[in-house]
Amino acid sequence: MLTIKMNDGRTEYDVEDNYKWVCHLMQNGDKFIELKEHNYGQVLININNVLSVKESRDYEK
């Protein structure tokens, strides 16, 4: 599980996507990525608005 924080300082998403896959999309120059968010389903976010991507190791299914 990943935690993606947005640069507005308040919004963060707990997503079920692979860390390396998200980083790959960000480095490829893609403008938007579609994520599988835990509470809302599919979420489309703009790469320019991402502040940080952190892997959550303490997540239990």
Side-chain angles (χ1 to χ4, degrees):
M1 180 166 232
L2 299 176
T3 299
I4 298 179
K5 292 187 180 183
M6 307 305 285
N7 64 4
D8 65 1
R10 291 183 275 169
T11 308
E12 69 179 44
Y13 298 105
D14 292 326
V15 297
E16 300 170 358
D17 293 316
N18 185 309
Y19 179 80
K20 289 184 180 184
W21 180 78
V22 172
C23 291
H24 174 73
L25 289 175
M26 293 176 76
Q27 291 172 353
N28 269 354
D30 294 341
K31 289 284 185 187
F32 295 94
I33 56 175
E34 188 172 357
L35 302 169
K36 187 175 176 184
E37 207 272 333
H38 184 68
N39 294 323
Y40 302 108
Q42 297 296 101
V43 176
L44 186 66
I45 63 171
N46 188 330
I47 294 292
N48 296 329
N49 295 332
V50 173
L51 179 64
S52 68
V53 178
K54 182 176 74 169
E55 195 167 14
S56 303
R57 298 192 185 274
D58 59 350
Y59 175 70
E60 295 181 19
K61 290 185 177 182

